[in-house]
Amino acid sequence: MKLRAFGAALALSLAAFAADRAPPAETKVGPPRGTLLVVGGGAMGGLWDTFLALAGGKDAPLVVIPTANEKISDPDASVTALRARGATNVVQLHTRDPKVADTEEFAAPLRTARGVWITGGRQWRLADAYLGTRTLKELF
């Protein structure tokens, strides 16, 4: 009897272990298509060309958001880099005022953008400016 009880307990334990090791169900997050290109510091190398290709080429509508930077240049260095690689339709979108970021006019370029480049810097500046705004909704 003890052997049967041990066998049953072992079988239940193995079944529970196998269930824990089963591949997770597929999770769907975000839009049905698109690519997220994450870059962290260092030289860009061929990544600008990769970004342009993923966005649809040099004529694709692009948006650069430099808000995380401390000082904002016009144009931002990212805008300049994209234009130097032949990008013809690049818009710089920047504000630190959530009221501005919540307007239709400000968020409008994001509706047609095929690629959005968000520069590095202090990321809390992005949160301060865009959380809860139309701009954030358009980014999604």
Side-chain angles (χ1 to χ4, degrees), residues 42 49 70 78 86 136:
D49 296 328
E70 182 176 350
S78 298
L136 183 62

Side-chain angles (χ1 to χ4, degrees), residues 35 37 46-60 62 82 85 114-115:
T35 302
L37 178 63
L47 292 177
W48 286 122
D49 296 328
T50 300
F51 175 72
L52 283 171
L54 289 169
K58 295 178 180 180
D59 295 327
L62 306 173
L82 289 166
R85 282 160 181 78
R114 296 284 315 267

Side-chain angles (χ1 to χ4, degrees), residues 26-100:
E26 187 175 343
T27 302
K28 299 279 184 185
V29 178
R33 59 186 168 78
T35 302
L36 180 62
L37 178 63
V38 180
V39 179
M44 289 295 294
L47 292 177
W48 286 122
D49 296 328
T50 300
F51 175 72
L52 283 171
L54 289 169
K58 295 178 180 180
D59 295 327
L62 306 173
V63 171
V64 172
I65 300 176
T67 305
N69 291 337
E70 182 176 350
K71 295 179 181 177
I72 307 300
S73 302
D74 191 17
D76 179 74
S78 298
V79 172
T80 302
L82 289 166
R83 288 180 179 156
R85 282 160 181 78
T88 60
N89 190 1
V90 185
V91 173
Q92 181 166 310
L93 195 63
H94 165 68
T95 186
R96 293 228 167 98
D97 185 345
K99 290 177 185 173
V100 172

